Amino acid sequence: MQQPHFFTVDLTVRVADLNYGNHLGYNGLVSLLHHARLEYFKHFGIDELDVNGATAYIKQLNVDYQGEAFLHDVLHFNYRVSETTRAVCTFEALITKNDDNAPVAHAFETMILLDNQTKKVVKNATGFAKLIEYGGK
């Protein structure tokens, strides 16, 4: 099976994203990941608050920090679906910066869908089908 293509969202590091070391802090990166994921979903017409009657929640977030980012750096969030099961969908984000694409981080966000009425976990494949099928067009 061929790996899905990455979809890229670009965001700029803001002053609120910096930590006491004057570089991108972990809390800033998590906020930017959320923003980039929302843009990624939006491009495919997906609202994480209503994915076919369910809400998407982060179950697990893993981040491997690979380099620093600073104020006004342009971060490239390269997203794709890396794994799906009946109950979860894991998104991979390769984060690089500026024109040289220097590595910043490699993240995996595992999400579940909860039915808005019953609050029970639902199958995710239909809700994220557009993302799973993305072919780089």
Side-chain angles (χ1 to χ4, degrees):
M1 182 172 104
Q2 182 180 356
Q3 283 285 351
H5 290 75
F6 282 101
F7 179 84
T8 302
V9 175
D10 292 340
L11 298 174
T12 302
V13 177
R14 308 160 301 182
V15 72
D17 301 321
L18 303 178
N19 64 14
Y20 54 85
N22 213 26
H23 56 85
L24 179 63
Y26 65 89
N27 56 336
L29 180 60
V30 170
S31 292
L32 288 167
L33 274 165
H34 188 193
H35 186 141
R37 187 180 64 254
L38 288 178
E39 293 296 321
Y40 169 49
F41 285 4
K42 179 180 170 185
H43 178 82
F44 292 96
I46 296 171
D47 176 359
E48 75 177 7
L49 298 176
D50 186 6
V51 183
N52 295 341
T55 300
Y57 291 93
I58 293 287
K59 182 178 185 313
Q60 185 174 30
L61 171 64
N62 293 317
V63 179
D64 176 25
Y65 294 94
Q66 300 173 333
E68 294 178 311
F70 300 94
L71 184 63
H72 304 301
D73 279 345
V74 176
L75 301 181
H76 313 292
F77 292 81
N78 302 291
Y79 267 98
R80 72 177 175 189
V81 174
S82 69
E83 181 181 5
T84 59
T85 68
R86 188 188 80 71
V88 301
C89 189
T90 301
F91 299 93
E92 178 182 13
L94 294 173
I95 302 132
T96 60
K97 69 177 183 177
N98 302 325
D99 293 337
D100 64 354
N101 287 312
V104 174
H106 189 182
F108 290 90
E109 300 170 298
T110 300
M111 301 190 82
I112 59 170
L113 294 175
L114 293 182
D115 183 279
N116 289 335
Q117 301 300 318
T118 66
K119 302 300 181 197
K120 293 184 180 185
V121 176
V122 297
K123 285 186 177 181
N124 63 40
T126 56
F128 292 128
K130 293 176 189 173
L131 304 174
I132 294 166
E133 297 165 3
Y134 178 61
K137 299 172 187 83

